[in-house]
Amino acid sequence: MRLDDKELVIIEKMLCDYMDALLIRYRHIIADGGPPREVLSRLVGCVFASFAGQQAAIMLWQDQRPALESLPGFDYLAQAEGEAELLWTEVITRGIKGGEFRQDLDPRLTYRVIRDAIWMAARWYRPDGPLGTQQLAEQYVAILVDGIDSRRCCSGTR
C-alpha cells in the first residue's frame, strides 16, 4: 500500500476515532455491570451498532493492518485492540468462573472467535438489508454466546 502523508493522517484519524469511540462504549458497558452473558450480549450489540457509518474503517483496518502497524502513529491501534481483548476476556473469564459459561473454554480464543465472526459481518452487512444491527446482534448472540453458555451445553436443551 503506497499512501502519501496526507492520506495516512486521514486514515490514522479515522481509525483512531473509531477505536476510541468503541473502547469508550466497551468501558461503559462493563462499568454498568450485570451477569456476564448480559454484558457480553451488550458488547456484541455495541460492535454491530458501530457498523453504522464505520464499515470503511473496519474493513480498512482488517485489510491493511499488517502494513499500517509498521507505520508511525498506528501503534495506538494495536494497543487499543489489546485493551479491547482484555475487557472482553475479563467478562468471559468471569462467566467461566461463575459457571455461566462452559468451564472448558479458553477466554482469549473465545473472544477471538466472537470478534472475528462479528467483524467479518462488516463485509456483507447492508444497512438497507432485512436485519438492522440490533436484530443482527441478537442473532449472533443466540449463535455465539448461547453456544458458550454452560446451562445449554450437553443438557439436551438446545
Side-chain angles (χ1 to χ4, degrees):
M1 174 171 70
R2 297 199 65 125
L3 298 169
D4 64 32
D5 289 343
K6 188 176 182 179
E7 291 168 321
L8 285 172
V9 168
I10 292 168
I11 291 170
E12 180 185 4
K13 172 111 174 87
M14 179 175 68
L15 293 175
C16 286
D17 287 353
Y18 175 72
M19 288 302 292
D20 283 343
L22 199 56
L23 283 172
I24 288 167
R25 288 192 293 268
Y26 287 171
R27 291 180 200 124
H28 281 105
I29 288 168
I30 291 168
D32 286 346
R37 186 205 183 280
E38 181 183 308
V39 174
L40 204 56
S41 295
R42 291 193 320 257
L43 289 169
V44 169
C46 171
V47 178
F48 278 110
S50 79
F51 283 8
Q54 297 295 333
Q55 283 176 283
I58 295 165
M59 287 187 278
L60 179 67
W61 183 234
Q62 289 174 354
D63 293 343
Q64 301 302 325
R65 180 181 178 173
L68 291 172
E69 282 183 330
S70 66
L71 299 173
F74 287 91
D75 56 334
Y76 164 78
L77 294 170
Q79 294 169 5
E81 271 196 351
E83 181 181 347
E85 182 173 314
L86 180 64
L87 292 169
W88 282 65
T89 56
E90 286 174 354
V91 172
I92 294 165
T93 299
R94 192 165 50 92
I96 291 169
K97 287 180 179 176
E100 192 169 343
F101 299 150
R102 293 178 15 201
Q103 300 294 305
D104 62 335
L105 297 174
D106 175 272
R108 189 169 182 221
L109 179 59
T110 303
Y111 160 71
R112 288 180 171 200
V113 167
I114 293 170
R115 176 202 64 193
D116 291 352
I118 295 168
W119 284 70
M120 288 311 294
R123 297 193 169 282
W124 55 260
Y125 172 74
R126 297 292 171 255
D128 60 348
L131 295 176
T133 56
Q134 180 61 39
Q135 293 83 17
L136 196 56
E138 290 168 6
Q139 289 290 311
Y140 266 65
V141 167
I143 295 166
L144 296 169
V145 178
D146 289 345
I148 66 171
D149 189 322
S150 67
R151 295 164 294 185
R152 296 174 190 268
C153 174
C154 311
S155 64
T157 59
R158 290 194 190 257

